[in-house]
Amino acid sequence: MQLETATIDIGTSRPLVLLHAADADELGAHPLDRVRIEWAEGTTTGIVKRTDELVEHGTVGLTEPLHHVRGPVAVTLAGSPSSVGAIRKKLDDAELERTELERIVQDIHENRLSDVELSAYVSAVYANGLSLEETTHLTTAMSEIGQQLTWETPVVADKHSIGGVAGNCVTPIMVAIVAAAGVTMPKTSSRAVTSPAGTADVMEVFCDVEHSIDEIESIVAETNACLVWGGGVDLSPVDDEIIRAENPLSIDPEGQLVASVLSKKRSAGSTHVVIDVPYGEGAKVESLAAARGLADDFKRVADHLGIDVCCAITHGADPIGRGVGPVLEARDVLAVLEGLEEAPESLRLKSIRLSELLLDHCGVDADVLDLLESGRALERFREIVAAQGGTPDVSYADLEPAAESTAVRADRSGIVTRVDNRALCDLARRAGAPLDGRAGLVVHPSAGDEIDVGDPLCTIHAQTTAKLEEAASLADRLEPIRVRSKTDALVERR
């Protein structure tokens, strides 16, 4: 079928082909079918979307990934990518071969899979898991697509947390400390997947996090470090597409998690990595045994890739820090670096301990406490912010959360027996984080604290009244901070 092209912008990154219903009927094309498009300069494929209004009869509408296609084109039906069969195989809980995983990765990279097929892949991995061999093949395939960073120094430090702990904004503090100690740490981070703020979301409060390879190299040459969004430099780009599919489902399956983290580390040129694996009730990993198993998987796959990984299995049942959400977590970061009374002690201690572990892993003897308390880490952080186009002298007081707020208060006196990470993350997301950077919440008590009736448990911040009311309603149903009488608390501990 011969058709004229028209560019269409409907806010999608998928290569959609919009066909008028009459043209689709003549071609025999149904929604989500694939079509082959031939034009003067080449051939490509797209995914069908039928419409009666967006394009005229005789015209094919092409979304942004296909905007390079111009002029008259020949449109014919095309078969499904071979990786669809592999995805179906994984849905049946069969183990995939290396070549099958490579085809899936390649088809994701080349936008050959529809959103439904990509979601099916993510769901299959979530439901049936990946073997260690599958994870290794997947990580290798993902890391070999996209750009690669290389560094002259033999030791390139890195750190990653698997997430699941509210307010765990340790990374910016660690990068400042490690860089101040003289170790190269070009940190590429993700945006939030299931949390209210990823490291990139928090750093975006201070400065630009999207930089080219040349800009990153310049920033690192100037400051010994950077804190940028990995998706902005095409490092393991397939990972970003998979995360896009995971987001609506709020899932992060373990095998895919290992492949996601280590493919990014390999692409970033990291040689020595500390991976934070928090465990506990409400965290992504709830038992110590599961945390140790995941840590072993990280080490085994990393060994195959030639990356020296050390895993820190940490307490993850309670929040780290007080703020949950980009601006509120950014305030906690500055409070620790500036040595303020408002600094959450749990965040300060974890930042110190993980920095000591990473520096020791890199073979560097440094006084982490002195780097933090002397202000050298703060100075280095401000240098990084300036190099990334931010305002270096921003202070704790400058970072204001959303004005719409309400306090969730205790309805009884007693002892805080649990601070639920998962519920707090759900609340912050319902309030608008991370898309609304100033939305989120502040946690007031810690587990074990004594509480009186009416004491604030957490304060929710939102950009709009509607979102604030939604979050407050959810708080009533979830009981994010559990208070029990002293007698009941003793029984619960037993």
Side-chain angles (χ1 to χ4, degrees), residues 389-472:
T391 304
D393 59 354
V394 64
S395 68
Y396 177 91
D398 295 328
L399 301 178
E400 296 184 0
E404 294 283 339
S405 67
T406 187
V408 177
R409 298 185 179 276
D411 60 4
R412 71 188 78 177
S413 296
I415 296 173
V416 175
T417 60
R418 183 189 177 195
V419 183
D420 190 331
N421 275 306
R422 193 167 296 163
L424 291 173
C425 288
D426 287 346
L427 279 184
R429 288 175 72 92
R430 187 65 61 90
L435 294 180
D436 297 338
R438 297 198 299 146
L441 53 88
V442 177
V443 182
H444 299 298
S446 300
D449 288 354
E450 292 193 18
I451 294 292
D452 290 327
V453 173
D455 282 353
L457 300 177
C458 67
T459 301
I460 304 171
H461 293 268
Q463 296 282 72
T464 67
T465 301
K467 286 187 176 179
L468 184 67
E469 291 174 351
E470 284 183 20

Side-chain angles (χ1 to χ4, degrees), residues 327-356:
V327 164
L328 291 162
E329 293 183 38
R331 290 207 310 176
D332 282 353
V333 167
L334 274 187
V336 171
L337 288 170
E338 292 179 356
L340 303 181
E341 290 184 5
E342 295 88 345
E345 186 64 9
S346 56
L347 178 62
R348 179 177 176 274
L349 288 177
K350 186 169 185 178
S351 299
I352 291 170
R353 288 168 182 165
L354 288 183
S355 295
E356 288 173 340

